[in-house]
Amino acid sequence: MTNQQLTAQAVDRYADMVWRLALPSTGSKTDAEDVFQEVFLQHLRRGQAFTSPEHEKAWLIRCTIHRSVSLLTAAHRRHDLP
């Protein structure tokens, strides 16, 4: 199976979960969309299959959390006004 097929399956299975983690973490629909795209892009670039569905799910959760935190603590956001 190709990386694109593996990622497409992951999107089908875990899109809702990633979205539900990203939206409250970022507080903005636009930022959540960015996190969503980055997480599945990382999945595509990973280039290898996961050992189990549980491992893939845990990896996606951690990536979503890390990407959300990175987005919120980015230098360009520190100077944004609400």
Side-chain angles (χ1 to χ4, degrees):
M1 210 177 256
T2 67
N3 290 345
Q4 291 91 355
Q5 291 170 327
L6 291 172
T7 300
Q9 286 181 348
V11 171
D12 289 342
R13 264 187 257 143
Y14 301 113
D16 189 53
M17 177 194 69
V18 170
W19 178 255
R20 287 176 183 245
L21 285 170
L23 187 59
S25 298
T26 60
S28 143
K29 184 179 176 186
T30 305
D31 289 341
E33 289 170 353
D34 289 344
V35 169
F36 184 91
Q37 291 176 6
E38 286 291 327
V39 166
F40 285 108
L41 184 59
Q42 280 182 299
H43 188 285
L44 179 64
R45 289 180 180 159
R46 187 169 188 275
Q48 62 187 23
F50 290 91
T51 56
S52 68
E54 293 82 15
H55 180 220
E56 182 177 33
K57 183 177 179 180
W59 186 88
L60 287 166
I61 290 169
R62 293 307 315 161
C63 282
T64 303
I65 292 168
H66 285 291
R67 184 66 193 131
S68 296
V69 170
S70 294
L71 182 75
L72 294 174
T73 59
H76 72 276
R77 290 187 56 97
R78 289 188 211 141
H79 303 291
D80 287 353
L81 295 175

